[in-house]
Amino acid sequence: MGRKQGCYWIFCQLGIALLISIGSIAYAAEEIVALNLKTEWQNQFSELKRQIDNRDALNRLAHQTFNCESLIDPGDRDPVDVVVRRTCALLDDIKGNLKQDIVVEFQQRIEEIIAAKSQIDISQSLQRYAVYLDICQLRRDIAFQNPLLDFDKLLFIKRHRSVAPDEHMCDQFYGCFACAGGGLFELRNPFSDKPSLRDILRDSQVERGRLAGKCLAQGSFLSPDLSYDGRSILFAYTENNLMAKPKNEPFPENDDRWTNGRSYHLFKVDVDGSNLEQLTDGTCNDFDPCWLPSGRIAFISERRGGFLRCGFRPCPVYTLHSMNADGRDIVPLSFHETHEWHPSVNHDGMIVYTRWDYVDRDTNVAHHPWITTPDGRDARALQGNYPTQRQLRPWMEMDIRAIPGSHKYVATSAPHHGQAYGSLVICDPTVNDDGAMAPLKRLTPEIPFPEAEYKKQGIRPNEVYATAWPLSEDYHLCAYDPQAENYGVYLIDSFGNRILLYRDESIPCLSPMPLMVRTKPPVLPHKTSVGKPDGVLVQASNSETIHVVNVYDSQFEWPEATRITDLRIIQVLPKTTPTNNVPRIGVASQTNARAVLGTVPVEKDGSVYFKAPVNKPIYFQALNKDGLAIQSMRSLTYVHKGETLSCQGCHESRYAAPQNSSLTSLALRRAPSIIKAEVDGSNPFNYPRLVQSVLDKNCVDCHAKHEKAPNLSGVPGDDKDGYTPSYRSLAEKYGFYFNVSNGSFNDPHPIGGARTVAGQFGAQASKLYQMLKAGHHDVQLSKEDMHRITLWLDCNSDFYGSYENTLAQSRGEVVFPILE
């Protein structure tokens, strides 16, 4: 062999060795998936038998079901009949987009199976089961021909369920309750007989951030999102390596569970595992990242501050935020005082997310979809925020996503006392919201709404579906497990078919989505000074304008001859103490601390135009000429710097034409009103300053002379809540309050209910005002003294106006809240 030939031979051998080495690395990075389809089909067989046995109860939901093929037909005798019928429905739906020879082949196979089952009596269970296996395989083959499956990779995560000792829908998103294990994965060829799995982060090290140089191996993952160009993945990760459920015991106030190593932080990585970067850090949980069309990132964070009013453990509030793609310029988009979840972007470029809304109402009824612009403007409920009875609809809709080619959304109906799993629903916001199920249809009717339905069997058994990713109204990717334990990745359809794509027997899977380029929604104009894209400059001040076109334009009936003269502006204060009812702001459980900012005039046509403080959660009360509240919001709103907020009316219908327009609004013909401050004791709110002065002047001496008269003394005593004797005497028996404790929703007036009944609220519905109005002995209150009493009654008969320094507040000292 010559010198050149020898060198060439050596070079070829080295090249072959290198190729083999590269191939082995690629193979090691991928794992061929073996699916246990027989076990899967056996489980579905048992499940279908239970549905057939319970067909009457299931079919009573037909009017609420998105596609009645997913119910049990009168002709369905056993699971074979069910699967054959649903497979035929699937083929009929997609055959118009398939080649004719493929359709003919599938139809022939179906006919053969139908002929075979017709020859087997229903009593011959083994032979029928063999036919069942055949139709399950055929259904799988047909499902994988769906033209919507025009991608060959899936992105998803593996993670254990949260082990929070207090099972609420908020606790699962604190990193300190995450179990170690899982990761970020790619499933290749998911619609084939030989899918393979790739661990995206297997060989990745963090290149920027506190964890630079480390691998994300011993922690927990949450909420991935893929960029519109299909190149970059956002996800949340916590280093927490909790391996066992913590003891169910009270948490200390200074809890070390909230540290930078035990909180979720946001990361970004390319789909090939390169360029892994840490975007956020600190002691706050940051999670649920969502790419915005502008290139910024929306996400959920505790950075706004405050604690939940519900429960006996520290529960920091997290709300909607945004930041640049490199983690800079973190700003709050929402100033809501309670939790929010799961932002996604709809086809119009708007952010859709879930908000927990319980201002002066029941704790566990309103956790439903909201919508806002990417710069945080005009946050409004999409549907479901005012249910008439909480048992008539899901208690929550989580993970809401816009359906391609549709104005509808898919979501998970989840429980309040549970996690973000449940039954899947289709939401149509164009349908008139009847306070019940009208905007919703059941996509998976075989699974009841957790907690809202079938409470005797518990909540967990119905937490079986999660994180649906819509491909169309009829086809979705999702996580599913009939035992609500070890969730797998599935393709489901509205006909009731469910196709297993991947399952790891050792750890649940979550958040499946196509790993592909997707259409970017429009970039909406940026009009606020928060989260500014490069080059956008917005003039801003500490107050911005709010315009109400017509307060009389509403979804409720106003009392006859009602004349609204003013709008009262009240600020809701975030809770700064970590435990339920510590302090107890008033006799109502878990009530909000609030501050009365003042009033603005309402024009004769019902229009209002005024300047409101920015970044403050506020709500409104409509007042008559006597300063009495006729109606009150039981939600809140806010304005950002640079924002102009406009409302048509007081909870106006989104489906009816407006009674008048902003073009004819009298209020817009003048400069915006400046909020006129209220009497001393209203801001900061303080019962001793607001009410006790009236009692001292008009009532205390007389009551002291009569042994049976209520004690109206304002001297703080040994009251367990720090209240004065007069407050304890008046508030519960003679006051007015909305009790927000669990279960109050269906209690009789004055506590409970989703909406305020106009004219039956506050002072007008209280015994105290009626007594004083009718004349109480020879008491003659001045106009201001009467106003102080009615203002207190309109503000839920509260005692404190801040969560701090309650002893000073009970003495009538001015105490300003530390978080606004």
Side-chain angles (χ1 to χ4, degrees), residues 46-62:
S46 301
E47 183 184 341
L48 287 171
K49 285 188 66 177
R50 288 192 294 271
Q51 291 180 29
I52 291 169
D53 293 341
N54 195 39
R55 76 173 75 208
D56 291 342
L58 183 59
N59 289 344
R60 281 196 292 269
L61 301 174

mmCIF file with all atom_site columns, all heavy atoms in Angstrom, residues 46-62:
data_model
loop_
_atom_site.group_PDB
_atom_site.id
_atom_site.type_symbol
_atom_site.label_atom_id
_atom_site.label_alt_id
_atom_site.label_comp_id
_atom_site.label_asym_id
_atom_site.label_entity_id
_atom_site.label_seq_id
_atom_site.pdbx_PDB_ins_code
_atom_site.Cartn_x
_atom_site.Cartn_y
_atom_site.Cartn_z
_atom_site.occupancy
_atom_site.B_iso_or_equiv
_atom_site.pdbx_formal_charge
_atom_site.auth_seq_id
_atom_site.auth_comp_id
_atom_site.auth_asym_id
_atom_site.auth_atom_id
_atom_site.pdbx_PDB_model_num
ATOM 1   N N   . SER A 1 46 ? -62.393 -0.842 30.695 1.00 0.00 ? 46 SER A N   1
ATOM 2   C CA  . SER A 1 46 ? -63.034 -0.804 32.017 1.00 0.00 ? 46 SER A CA  1
ATOM 3   C C   . SER A 1 46 ? -63.746 0.520  32.244 1.00 0.00 ? 46 SER A C   1
ATOM 4   O O   . SER A 1 46 ? -64.856 0.557  32.804 1.00 0.00 ? 46 SER A O   1
ATOM 5   C CB  . SER A 1 46 ? -61.987 -1.040 33.105 1.00 0.00 ? 46 SER A CB  1
ATOM 6   O OG  . SER A 1 46 ? -61.349 -2.284 32.946 1.00 0.00 ? 46 SER A OG  1
ATOM 7   N N   . GLU A 1 47 ? -63.115 1.578  31.801 1.00 0.00 ? 47 GLU A N   1
ATOM 8   C CA  . GLU A 1 47 ? -63.717 2.905  31.965 1.00 0.00 ? 47 GLU A CA  1
ATOM 9   C C   . GLU A 1 47 ? -65.009 3.024  31.158 1.00 0.00 ? 47 GLU A C   1
ATOM 10  O O   . GLU A 1 47 ? -66.020 3.562  31.635 1.00 0.00 ? 47 GLU A O   1
ATOM 11  C CB  . GLU A 1 47 ? -62.709 3.976  31.529 1.00 0.00 ? 47 GLU A CB  1
ATOM 12  C CG  . GLU A 1 47 ? -63.176 5.392  31.720 1.00 0.00 ? 47 GLU A CG  1
ATOM 13  C CD  . GLU A 1 47 ? -62.161 6.386  31.188 1.00 0.00 ? 47 GLU A CD  1
ATOM 14  O OE1 . GLU A 1 47 ? -60.988 6.004  31.020 1.00 0.00 ? 47 GLU A OE1 1
ATOM 15  O OE2 . GLU A 1 47 ? -62.556 7.538  30.930 1.00 0.00 ? 47 GLU A OE2 1
ATOM 16  N N   . LEU A 1 48 ? -65.002 2.520  29.935 1.00 0.00 ? 48 LEU A N   1
ATOM 17  C CA  . LEU A 1 48 ? -66.198 2.576  29.092 1.00 0.00 ? 48 LEU A CA  1
ATOM 18  C C   . LEU A 1 48 ? -67.329 1.729  29.671 1.00 0.00 ? 48 LEU A C   1
ATOM 19  O O   . LEU A 1 48 ? -68.501 2.100  29.575 1.00 0.00 ? 48 LEU A O   1
ATOM 20  C CB  . LEU A 1 48 ? -65.864 2.119  27.678 1.00 0.00 ? 48 LEU A CB  1
ATOM 21  C CG  . LEU A 1 48 ? -65.043 3.109  26.837 1.00 0.00 ? 48 LEU A CG  1
ATOM 22  C CD1 . LEU A 1 48 ? -64.592 2.468  25.534 1.00 0.00 ? 48 LEU A CD1 1
ATOM 23  C CD2 . LEU A 1 48 ? -65.846 4.371  26.560 1.00 0.00 ? 48 LEU A CD2 1
ATOM 24  N N   . LYS A 1 49 ? -66.987 0.614  30.286 1.00 0.00 ? 49 LYS A N   1
ATOM 25  C CA  . LYS A 1 49 ? -68.027 -0.198 30.917 1.00 0.00 ? 49 LYS A CA  1
ATOM 26  C C   . LYS A 1 49 ? -68.713 0.570  32.037 1.00 0.00 ? 49 LYS A C   1
ATOM 27  O O   . LYS A 1 49 ? -69.942 0.510  32.178 1.00 0.00 ? 49 LYS A O   1
ATOM 28  C CB  . LYS A 1 49 ? -67.405 -1.488 31.479 1.00 0.00 ? 49 LYS A CB  1
ATOM 29  C CG  . LYS A 1 49 ? -67.054 -2.526 30.424 1.00 0.00 ? 49 LYS A CG  1
ATOM 30  C CD  . LYS A 1 49 ? -66.622 -3.844 31.051 1.00 0.00 ? 49 LYS A CD  1
ATOM 31  C CE  . LYS A 1 49 ? -67.765 -4.507 31.796 1.00 0.00 ? 49 LYS A CE  1
ATOM 32  N NZ  . LYS A 1 49 ? -67.375 -5.829 32.345 1.00 0.00 ? 49 LYS A NZ  1
ATOM 33  N N   . ARG A 1 50 ? -67.931 1.315  32.806 1.00 0.00 ? 50 ARG A N   1
ATOM 34  C CA  . ARG A 1 50 ? -68.523 2.130  33.878 1.00 0.00 ? 50 ARG A CA  1
ATOM 35  C C   . ARG A 1 50 ? -69.418 3.224  33.298 1.00 0.00 ? 50 ARG A C   1
ATOM 36  O O   . ARG A 1 50 ? -70.487 3.522  33.844 1.00 0.00 ? 50 ARG A O   1
ATOM 37  C CB  . ARG A 1 50 ? -67.426 2.740  34.740 1.00 0.00 ? 50 ARG A CB  1
ATOM 38  C CG  . ARG A 1 50 ? -66.710 1.736  35.639 1.00 0.00 ? 50 ARG A CG  1
ATOM 39  C CD  . ARG A 1 50 ? -65.843 2.432  36.661 1.00 0.00 ? 50 ARG A CD  1
ATOM 40  N NE  . ARG A 1 50 ? -64.733 3.151  36.047 1.00 0.00 ? 50 ARG A NE  1
ATOM 41  C CZ  . ARG A 1 50 ? -63.550 2.622  35.802 1.00 0.00 ? 50 ARG A CZ  1
ATOM 42  N NH1 . ARG A 1 50 ? -63.307 1.347  36.125 1.00 0.00 ? 50 ARG A NH1 1
ATOM 43  N NH2 . ARG A 1 50 ? -62.586 3.338  35.249 1.00 0.00 ? 50 ARG A NH2 1
ATOM 44  N N   . GLN A 1 51 ? -68.994 3.819  32.187 1.00 0.00 ? 51 GLN A N   1
ATOM 45  C CA  . GLN A 1 51 ? -69.819 4.855  31.566 1.00 0.00 ? 51 GLN A CA  1
ATOM 46  C C   . GLN A 1 51 ? -71.130 4.267  31.041 1.00 0.00 ? 51 GLN A C   1
ATOM 47  O O   . GLN A 1 51 ? -72.184 4.904  31.143 1.00 0.00 ? 51 GLN A O   1
ATOM 48  C CB  . GLN A 1 51 ? -69.044 5.521  30.428 1.00 0.00 ? 51 GLN A CB  1
ATOM 49  C CG  . GLN A 1 51 ? -67.870 6.361  30.882 1.00 0.00 ? 51 GLN A CG  1
ATOM 50  C CD  . GLN A 1 51 ? -67.136 6.996  29.721 1.00 0.00 ? 51 GLN A CD  1
ATOM 51  O OE1 . GLN A 1 51 ? -67.732 7.278  28.681 1.00 0.00 ? 51 GLN A OE1 1
ATOM 52  N NE2 . GLN A 1 51 ? -65.846 7.220  29.885 1.00 0.00 ? 51 GLN A NE2 1
ATOM 53  N N   . ILE A 1 52 ? -71.057 3.091  30.472 1.00 0.00 ? 52 ILE A N   1
ATOM 54  C CA  . ILE A 1 52 ? -72.273 2.438  29.963 1.00 0.00 ? 52 ILE A CA  1
ATOM 55  C C   . ILE A 1 52 ? -73.230 2.143  31.111 1.00 0.00 ? 52 ILE A C   1
ATOM 56  O O   . ILE A 1 52 ? -74.442 2.367  31.013 1.00 0.00 ? 52 ILE A O   1
ATOM 57  C CB  . ILE A 1 52 ? -71.909 1.156  29.196 1.00 0.00 ? 52 ILE A CB  1
ATOM 58  C CG1 . ILE A 1 52 ? -71.178 1.522  27.895 1.00 0.00 ? 52 ILE A CG1 1
ATOM 59  C CG2 . ILE A 1 52 ? -73.148 0.323  28.899 1.00 0.00 ? 52 ILE A CG2 1
ATOM 60  C CD1 . ILE A 1 52 ? -70.546 0.336  27.193 1.00 0.00 ? 52 ILE A CD1 1
ATOM 61  N N   . ASP A 1 53 ? -72.693 1.678  32.219 1.00 0.00 ? 53 ASP A N   1
ATOM 62  C CA  . ASP A 1 53 ? -73.526 1.393  33.390 1.00 0.00 ? 53 ASP A CA  1
ATOM 63  C C   . ASP A 1 53 ? -74.138 2.665  33.959 1.00 0.00 ? 53 ASP A C   1
ATOM 64  O O   . ASP A 1 53 ? -75.179 2.603  34.624 1.00 0.00 ? 53 ASP A O   1
ATOM 65  C CB  . ASP A 1 53 ? -72.701 0.689  34.465 1.00 0.00 ? 53 ASP A CB  1
ATOM 66  C CG  . ASP A 1 53 ? -72.264 -0.707 34.046 1.00 0.00 ? 53 ASP A CG  1
ATOM 67  O OD1 . ASP A 1 53 ? -72.880 -1.262 33.119 1.00 0.00 ? 53 ASP A OD1 1
ATOM 68  O OD2 . ASP A 1 53 ? -71.283 -1.223 34.623 1.00 0.00 ? 53 ASP A OD2 1
ATOM 69  N N   . ASN A 1 54 ? -73.490 3.801  33.708 1.00 0.00 ? 54 ASN A N   1
ATOM 70  C CA  . ASN A 1 54 ? -73.949 5.074  34.264 1.00 0.00 ? 54 ASN A CA  1
ATOM 71  C C   . ASN A 1 54 ? -74.454 5.999  33.153 1.00 0.00 ? 54 ASN A C   1
ATOM 72  O O   . ASN A 1 54 ? -74.430 7.217  33.292 1.00 0.00 ? 54 ASN A O   1
ATOM 73  C CB  . ASN A 1 54 ? -72.789 5.741  35.021 1.00 0.00 ? 54 ASN A CB  1
ATOM 74  C CG  . ASN A 1 54 ? -73.246 6.856  35.923 1.00 0.00 ? 54 ASN A CG  1
ATOM 75  O OD1 . ASN A 1 54 ? -74.284 6.771  36.569 1.00 0.00 ? 54 ASN A OD1 1
ATOM 76  N ND2 . ASN A 1 54 ? -72.478 7.937  35.948 1.00 0.00 ? 54 ASN A ND2 1
ATOM 77  N N   . ARG A 1 55 ? -74.944 5.406  32.066 1.00 0.00 ? 55 ARG A N   1
ATOM 78  C CA  . ARG A 1 55 ? -75.271 6.194  30.873 1.00 0.00 ? 55 ARG A CA  1
ATOM 79  C C   . ARG A 1 55 ? -76.349 7.237  31.124 1.00 0.00 ? 55 ARG A C   1
ATOM 80  O O   . ARG A 1 55 ? -76.314 8.329  30.553 1.00 0.00 ? 55 ARG A O   1
ATOM 81  C CB  . ARG A 1 55 ? -75.662 5.280  29.712 1.00 0.00 ? 55 ARG A CB  1
ATOM 82  C CG  . ARG A 1 55 ? -77.054 4.676  29.805 1.00 0.00 ? 55 ARG A CG  1
ATOM 83  C CD  . ARG A 1 55 ? -77.389 3.933  28.525 1.00 0.00 ? 55 ARG A CD  1
ATOM 84  N NE  . ARG A 1 55 ? -76.682 2.649  28.437 1.00 0.00 ? 55 ARG A NE  1
ATOM 85  C CZ  . ARG A 1 55 ? -76.352 2.081  27.273 1.00 0.00 ? 55 ARG A CZ  1
ATOM 86  N NH1 . ARG A 1 55 ? -76.660 2.663  26.136 1.00 0.00 ? 55 ARG A NH1 1
ATOM 87  N NH2 . ARG A 1 55 ? -75.747 0.920  27.259 1.00 0.00 ? 55 ARG A NH2 1
ATOM 88  N N   . ASP A 1 56 ? -77.322 6.923  31.967 1.00 0.00 ? 56 ASP A N   1
ATOM 89  C CA  . ASP A 1 56 ? -78.413 7.875  32.177 1.00 0.00 ? 56 ASP A CA  1
ATOM 90  C C   . ASP A 1 56 ? -77.907 9.175  32.801 1.00 0.00 ? 56 ASP A C   1
ATOM 91  O O   . ASP A 1 56 ? -78.271 10.275 32.367 1.00 0.00 ? 56 ASP A O   1
ATOM 92  C CB  . ASP A 1 56 ? -79.498 7.251  33.063 1.00 0.00 ? 56 ASP A CB  1
ATOM 93  C CG  . ASP A 1 56 ? -80.250 6.135  32.366 1.00 0.00 ? 56 ASP A CG  1
ATOM 94  O OD1 . ASP A 1 56 ? -80.185 6.078  31.124 1.00 0.00 ? 56 ASP A OD1 1
ATOM 95  O OD2 . ASP A 1 56 ? -80.881 5.317  33.058 1.00 0.00 ? 56 ASP A OD2 1
ATOM 96  N N   . ALA A 1 57 ? -77.069 9.050  33.817 1.00 0.00 ? 57 ALA A N   1
ATOM 97  C CA  . ALA A 1 57 ? -76.519 10.254 34.461 1.00 0.00 ? 57 ALA A CA  1
ATOM 98  C C   . ALA A 1 57 ? -75.628 11.020 33.489 1.00 0.00 ? 57 ALA A C   1
ATOM 99  O O   . ALA A 1 57 ? -75.661 12.250 33.436 1.00 0.00 ? 57 ALA A O   1
ATOM 100 C CB  . ALA A 1 57 ? -75.739 9.857  35.709 1.00 0.00 ? 57 ALA A CB  1
ATOM 101 N N   . LEU A 1 58 ? -74.836 10.295 32.702 1.00 0.00 ? 58 LEU A N   1
ATOM 102 C CA  . LEU A 1 58 ? -73.946 10.939 31.745 1.00 0.00 ? 58 LEU A CA  1
ATOM 103 C C   . LEU A 1 58 ? -74.732 11.645 30.647 1.00 0.00 ? 58 LEU A C   1
ATOM 104 O O   . LEU A 1 58 ? -74.443 12.796 30.290 1.00 0.00 ? 58 LEU A O   1
ATOM 105 C CB  . LEU A 1 58 ? -72.990 9.901  31.137 1.00 0.00 ? 58 LEU A CB  1
ATOM 106 C CG  . LEU A 1 58 ? -71.939 10.417 30.151 1.00 0.00 ? 58 LEU A CG  1
ATOM 107 C CD1 . LEU A 1 58 ? -71.038 11.446 30.797 1.00 0.00 ? 58 LEU A CD1 1
ATOM 108 C CD2 . LEU A 1 58 ? -71.114 9.246  29.618 1.00 0.00 ? 58 LEU A CD2 1
ATOM 109 N N   . ASN A 1 59 ? -75.757 11.008 30.126 1.00 0.00 ? 59 ASN A N   1
ATOM 110 C CA  . ASN A 1 59 ? -76.505 11.573 29.014 1.00 0.00 ? 59 ASN A CA  1
ATOM 111 C C   . ASN A 1 59 ? -77.399 12.747 29.425 1.00 0.00 ? 59 ASN A C   1
ATOM 112 O O   . ASN A 1 59 ? -77.875 13.486 28.565 1.00 0.00 ? 59 ASN A O   1
ATOM 113 C CB  . ASN A 1 59 ? -77.332 10.490 28.339 1.00 0.00 ? 59 ASN A CB  1
ATOM 114 C CG  . ASN A 1 59 ? -76.451 9.503  27.573 1.00 0.00 ? 59 ASN A CG  1
ATOM 115 O OD1 . ASN A 1 59 ? -75.277 9.782  27.307 1.00 0.00 ? 59 ASN A OD1 1
ATOM 116 N ND2 . ASN A 1 59 ? -76.999 8.353  27.236 1.00 0.00 ? 59 ASN A ND2 1
ATOM 117 N N   . ARG A 1 60 ? -77.621 12.895 30.736 1.00 0.00 ? 60 ARG A N   1
ATOM 118 C CA  . ARG A 1 60 ? -78.352 14.081 31.188 1.00 0.00 ? 60 ARG A CA  1
ATOM 119 C C   . ARG A 1 60 ? -77.550 15.363 30.957 1.00 0.00 ? 60 ARG A C   1
ATOM 120 O O   . ARG A 1 60 ? -78.097 16.459 31.025 1.00 0.00 ? 60 ARG A O   1
ATOM 121 C CB  . ARG A 1 60 ? -78.707 13.946 32.672 1.00 0.00 ? 60 ARG A CB  1
ATOM 122 C CG  . ARG A 1 60 ? -79.913 13.058 32.940 1.00 0.00 ? 60 ARG A CG  1
ATOM 123 C CD  . ARG A 1 60 ? -80.466 13.265 34.337 1.00 0.00 ? 60 ARG A CD  1
ATOM 124 N NE  . ARG A 1 60 ? -79.564 12.788 35.359 1.00 0.00 ? 60 ARG A NE  1
ATOM 125 C CZ  . ARG A 1 60 ? -79.589 11.550 35.857 1.00 0.00 ? 60 ARG A CZ  1
ATOM 126 N NH1 . ARG A 1 60 ? -80.478 10.669 35.400 1.00 0.00 ? 60 ARG A NH1 1
ATOM 127 N NH2 . ARG A 1 60 ? -78.748 11.184 36.808 1.00 0.00 ? 60 ARG A NH2 1
ATOM 128 N N   . LEU A 1 61 ? -76.273 15.206 30.645 1.00 0.00 ? 61 LEU A N   1
ATOM 129 C CA  . LEU A 1 61 ? -75.410 16.354 30.373 1.00 0.00 ? 61 LEU A CA  1
ATOM 130 C C   . LEU A 1 61 ? -75.362 16.693 28.881 1.00 0.00 ? 61 LEU A C   1
ATOM 131 O O   . LEU A 1 61 ? -74.554 17.522 28.470 1.00 0.00 ? 61 LEU A O   1
ATOM 132 C CB  . LEU A 1 61 ? -73.987 16.064 30.868 1.00 0.00 ? 61 LEU A CB  1
ATOM 133 C CG  . LEU A 1 61 ? -73.839 15.743 32.356 1.00 0.00 ? 61 LEU A CG  1
ATOM 134 C CD1 . LEU A 1 61 ? -72.401 15.335 32.665 1.00 0.00 ? 61 LEU A CD1 1
ATOM 135 C CD2 . LEU A 1 61 ? -74.249 16.934 33.202 1.00 0.00 ? 61 LEU A CD2 1
ATOM 136 N N   . ALA A 1 62 ? -76.214 16.072 28.081 1.00 0.00 ? 62 ALA A N   1
ATOM 137 C CA  . ALA A 1 62 ? -76.147 16.252 26.624 1.00 0.00 ? 62 ALA A CA  1
ATOM 138 C C   . ALA A 1 62 ? -76.239 17.715 26.222 1.00 0.00 ? 62 ALA A C   1
ATOM 139 O O   . ALA A 1 62 ? -75.534 18.171 25.312 1.00 0.00 ? 62 ALA A O   1
ATOM 140 C CB  . ALA A 1 62 ? -77.245 15.443 25.946 1.00 0.00 ? 62 ALA A CB  1
#
